[in-house]
Amino acid sequence: MSREQIKSRLYQELKIKNEVNIEGVAADPAIFRHLDLGGEVQEQVHLCFEMDHETHEGFDLPTGYTTPGGLRVAFHWDSRSDFRIVYDGGEYVLTHKGKELFPVSFDKRPKYYALSASDGTPFSRIAGYASGYTGGGTVSIAYSNECSLKEKGQDCLFCNINATKDTYSEIQGIKWKNPKQIGEAVAAAYRLDGVTHTNLTGGFVPERREVDYYIDVAEAIQESTGLRDFNGTAVIGAPLDLDIIDRYKEAGFRTLAMNLEMWDPNFYAAILPGKVAECGGREHWIKAIEYAAKVFGKGKVRSGFVAGIEPKKATLEGVEYFASIGVLSLTGAWTPNPGSALEGHRTPHAEWHLDMAYKCHEIFKKYGFSYKDYFDIAPSPNFLIHDLFAIDEEIVPAFGEVAGENAKESDRIA
């Protein structure tokens, strides 16, 4: 198979992945009895957000699966979806309206999930795992699985962090994580599973408490791993005192994230009441991102947009502006999450989101960014932008077929 044929196949798989991201996937939970879920296969642990379209308190689900070409698809449960995973003849197959699309392979459980911190807390309840294309992967830690904006009636309208805590924290044993737990979990993930990136996030806390906590976590990770630069991303609220941003870099974080969420000023005010009240509003948030870009450098700062709530033109304006100053943006598809104020609403159709991904990828390439840049700033290496970079740079597993065929041909000629 030629490189162009492989790319054509991967772009088709990407199109299906995007559709499944938007529509979710159904499955009879009974079929997972054939999986060693929570043993060989990685199970969902809701450390921060519920990204399934429905809650599933009574049974476990896989985290995700891989297409034949090597693209990873997150498992977003939706019993109403026309996409369905079935168990057929000893293998799991993705179908659409009863038509077989392709067989899938479920995510392998990382080795560190089998271990616990020195206080007995399972690492799977501290740091979530997602694999990348170039070896290793990312551990994402939500130090807190709740947000203080709830108490003030200022939750972001798309967010379900507090609802997720209410549903799963007792069932799955999710609690506040202390720096020592995090340091031990990260060290185990780096040592046992070749992880190369850490993402640290959580709900709103006062900024002084936040920076002190993040510094403690950085020191704990450095002590446990022996690494000064552990490739960590600190996800924070925009501090009113911009000088605080310097402290995150001094602490050892390689990258910084401040998620603006909406570019249009009117959508920002309507959807993000807490960020208006607590962080100086949209203009201050942008100033904080601009300042961080100067402190951390090109490709070392990210902002996130919840793509699909505001007009596409507005989001793309924000993506373009940030890219022009060296800041990368996440533009993952808005999911009207269970428990959020916008539950029951509808995200744009799949074609809308696929077009967004392609346009953002072109913007990032125009400003000289790469897969490695995007890997180092994202909470998970499985966004559509990662896939587009990986296909473009030919680092998706499917391209190994070309290398293998070329090697066989060389042997034959020799």
Side-chain angles (χ1 to χ4, degrees):
M1 187 179 290
S2 71
R3 282 185 167 83
E4 289 310 309
Q5 287 173 321
I6 289 176
K7 285 189 176 183
S8 176
R9 165 182 153 192
L10 288 169
Y11 287 130
Q12 181 58 33
E13 289 184 1
L14 182 71
K15 181 176 181 292
I16 293 170
K17 169 180 173 172
N18 175 64
E19 291 173 354
V20 177
N21 281 346
I22 303 307
E23 302 300 332
V25 65
D28 180 353
I31 68 172
F32 298 127
R33 69 178 183 273
H34 303 289
L35 286 178
D36 183 15
L37 193 57
E40 181 183 357
V41 174
Q42 186 178 355
E43 76 280 22
Q44 288 187 11
V45 183
H46 297 291
L47 296 170
C48 193
F49 302 116
E50 163 74 275
M51 295 305 293
D52 295 300
H53 299 179
E54 304 172 61
T55 58
H56 53 98
E57 299 94 314
F59 52 92
D60 289 331
L61 292 171
T63 54
Y65 48 94
T66 305
T67 70
L71 303 184
R72 184 184 176 276
V73 187
F75 192 104
H76 294 160
W77 165 257
D78 193 326
S79 63
R80 302 154 296 188
S81 176
D82 288 332
F83 289 95
R84 177 173 289 271
I85 290 179
V86 300
Y87 186 70
D88 182 21
E91 68 177 358
Y92 290 88
V93 178
L94 179 66
T95 66
H96 183 248
K97 295 183 177 179
K99 180 182 177 181
E100 180 177 321
L101 296 177
F102 45 69
V104 301
S105 301
F106 288 100
D107 296 342
K108 299 296 183 184
R109 198 175 198 246
K111 295 181 180 67
Y112 77 89
Y113 266 36
L115 304 178
S116 298
S118 56
D119 67 358
T121 304
F123 285 148
S124 62
R125 269 52 184 171
I126 298 171
Y129 171 80
S131 60
Y133 286 119
T134 54
T138 293
V139 287
S140 191
I141 299 141
Y143 62 84
S144 165
N145 63 332
E146 61 184 335
C147 179
S148 64
L149 294 179
K150 177 183 179 181
E151 302 167 1
K152 303 174 181 179
Q154 297 173 345
D155 271 348
C156 300
L157 271 59
F158 54 78
C159 182
N160 72 344
I161 184 172
N162 288 306
T164 300
K165 178 182 184 296
D166 293 342
T167 302
Y168 294 106
S169 62
E170 291 300 320
I171 296 172
Q172 297 193 330
I174 311 300
K175 299 178 181 178
W176 180 282
K177 293 87 178 170
N178 64 54
K180 185 177 181 181
Q181 290 173 327
I182 294 171
E184 292 173 349
V186 171
Y190 279 40
R191 183 180 72 254
L192 298 176
D193 296 284
V195 168
T196 56
H197 176 228
T198 296
N199 185 80
L200 179 64
T201 188
F204 264 75
V205 295
E207 67 181 44
R208 181 60 59 181
R209 179 182 172 195
E210 183 175 66
V211 68
D212 290 343
Y213 176 84
Y214 274 60
I215 290 171
D216 289 344
V217 169
E219 290 175 350
I221 293 174
Q222 290 164 343
E223 180 178 351
S224 294
T225 63
L227 300 171
R228 169 62 185 170
D229 180 1
F230 53 92
N231 193 12
T233 300
V235 186
I236 66 170
L240 296 176
D241 177 2
L242 297 184
D243 288 339
I244 285 177
I245 289 171
D246 297 79
R247 296 186 61 192
Y248 289 96
K249 185 171 184 181
E250 292 164 3
F253 288 99
R254 186 189 296 184
T255 50
L256 194 73
M258 288 178 279
N259 295 322
L260 186 67
E261 318 289 15
M262 301 286 142
W263 184 255
D264 180 279
N266 294 316
F267 276 86
Y268 188 94
I271 301 295
L272 309 165
K275 290 190 175 183
V276 172
E278 300 295 323
C279 297
R282 176 181 177 274
E283 294 307 315
H284 177 76
W285 201 282
I286 293 172
K287 287 179 183 177
I289 294 169
E290 292 168 340
Y291 182 85
K294 295 174 183 176
V295 172
F296 280 82
K298 180 181 178 180
K300 305 302 182 186
V301 176
R302 86 163 194 250
S303 191
F305 291 99
V306 183
I309 295 180
E310 67 180 350
K312 183 185 294 182
K313 179 182 178 182
T315 302
L316 288 172
E317 285 177 359
V319 171
E320 177 89 32
Y321 173 68
F322 282 147
S324 75
I325 62 170
V327 173
L328 282 159
S329 298
L330 300 179
T331 52
W334 164 48
T335 299
N337 302 86
S340 70
L342 294 178
E343 179 181 3
H345 288 247
R346 170 74 206 194
T347 196
H349 291 293
E351 294 81 6
W352 190 100
H353 288 289
L354 189 62
D355 179 66
M356 171 70 80
Y358 274 99
K359 283 183 167 64
C360 289
H361 180 233
E362 288 303 314
I363 290 171
F364 298 146
K365 286 200 300 180
K366 180 173 75 172
Y367 289 98
F369 294 110
S370 67
Y371 172 85
K372 179 66 166 60
D373 295 318
Y374 213 69
F375 174 87
D376 282 350
I377 58 89
S380 162
N382 301 131
F383 287 84
L384 295 182
I385 303 296
H386 288 102
D387 300 331
L388 288 168
F389 269 124
I391 294 171
D392 210 33
E393 298 174 20
E394 299 189 357
I395 57 176
V396 178
F399 289 105
E401 298 174 15
V402 175
E405 290 171 3
N406 288 344
K408 290 178 183 177
E409 181 67 11
S410 297
D411 290 342
R412 187 185 67 79
I413 293 172

